Amino acid sequence: MAVLDDIEVDYDLEYLTKKDAAWFTCAVVLEHQNQLRVKFEVFSVADFNTHCDIEQLIHKFRPVSKPVEDNECSILVQGMRVCAIYRRHDRDELLYYDAVVDAVLYVEHTPEKCVCSYLLCWQHGPGEGTLTEASIEDICFIVHGDIHPKIAEFANLVKQQLKVPSVESQVFGSVEHSSHAGSCAGFGGKGSALS
């Protein structure tokens, strides 16, 4: 828990940034009854013109991913969607992107130290569509959960302005509600408040 402008907040969400298209841990605060502060980015109710715009914002959030422990390596199986560090050889930065486990290269080991390798197919970011090898230290489980109450409250304020139905208890962080899925075609595309 941290203090942001004299308000205690939990850094209990991940946010898909526009700049890097990477996932970052964040906190959200609803301010002035019409602004949503995401870490250092602020969204105003007035920024959204359509139902699709607010749905796209909702799909950019999910609960914080959970690092895979060495003794959990058997849970990582082919076809599983994960969040992992993409290592760029030209930069020292470590950014998180979604990937699908394409193959597991199992090596006999103790429960305390996994030495298996995982072939990941990147779903977005600089490695999108490519395969790279990763170790368990680089991989996190994507956590599923209800829409964060502050995001739901902000979305409902936008929808009141647009005169559309309120946000119900949706699950986000799943494949159906990930950064690449949603009810609107052209995620973040031309004409979107989020592009």
Side-chain angles (χ1 to χ4, degrees):
M1 185 171 293
V3 177
L4 181 67
D5 299 333
D6 298 327
I7 301 172
E8 287 188 6
V9 295
D10 289 322
Y11 280 73
D12 57 354
L13 292 173
E14 290 180 346
Y15 175 66
L16 184 65
T17 63
K18 182 170 48 172
K19 177 185 172 211
D20 298 313
W23 290 100
F24 287 90
T25 302
C26 72
V28 294
V29 177
L30 189 60
E31 299 176 329
H32 313 294
Q33 300 300 314
N34 67 351
Q35 293 180 333
L36 182 70
R37 180 180 298 273
V38 180
K39 214 168 188 179
F40 302 109
E41 192 167 351
V42 178
F43 297 97
S44 173
V45 168
D47 294 338
F48 299 87
N49 298 315
T50 68
H51 173 74
C52 189
D53 290 343
I54 190 62
E55 288 297 319
Q56 288 174 0
L57 179 68
I58 290 169
H59 294 298
K60 287 184 166 226
F61 291 94
R62 66 183 181 201
V64 173
S65 297
K66 177 187 167 290
V68 179
E69 300 295 330
D70 289 276
N71 63 356
E72 297 176 310
C73 74
S74 63
I75 299 172
L76 287 173
V77 295
Q78 184 177 8
M80 176 180 265
R81 188 178 184 102
V82 295
C83 185
I85 294 172
Y86 180 79
R87 297 183 183 278
R88 291 180 66 163
H89 300 293
D90 60 335
R91 295 187 187 170
D92 288 335
E93 65 187 356
L94 302 175
L95 299 177
Y96 286 87
Y97 300 96
D98 288 353
V100 173
V101 178
D102 191 68
V104 177
L105 308 169
Y106 181 78
V107 177
E108 190 71 34
H109 59 78
T110 66
E112 293 80 31
K113 180 64 180 159
C114 174
V115 292
C116 300
S117 295
Y118 302 88
L119 195 57
L120 302 178
C121 179
W122 298 97
Q123 303 299 294
H124 63 98
E128 183 175 356
T130 65
L131 296 172
T132 61
E133 193 173 317
S135 64
I136 199 164
E137 294 86 18
D138 294 339
I139 303 172
C140 296
F141 292 121
I142 295 173
V143 176
H144 309 288
D146 293 336
I147 292 177
H148 192 280
K150 294 214 184 313
I151 296 168
E153 184 177 352
F154 180 74
N156 286 333
L157 290 170
V158 171
K159 290 180 179 195
Q160 286 172 6
Q161 172 190 296
L162 299 173
K163 296 179 177 41
V164 295
S166 295
V167 172
E168 299 301 322
S169 179
Q170 298 177 16
V171 173
F172 64 2
S174 66
V175 173
E176 293 78 26
H177 291 89
S178 72
S179 62
H180 290 284
S183 59
C184 306
F187 180 139
K190 188 174 180 182
S192 167
L194 303 176
S195 57

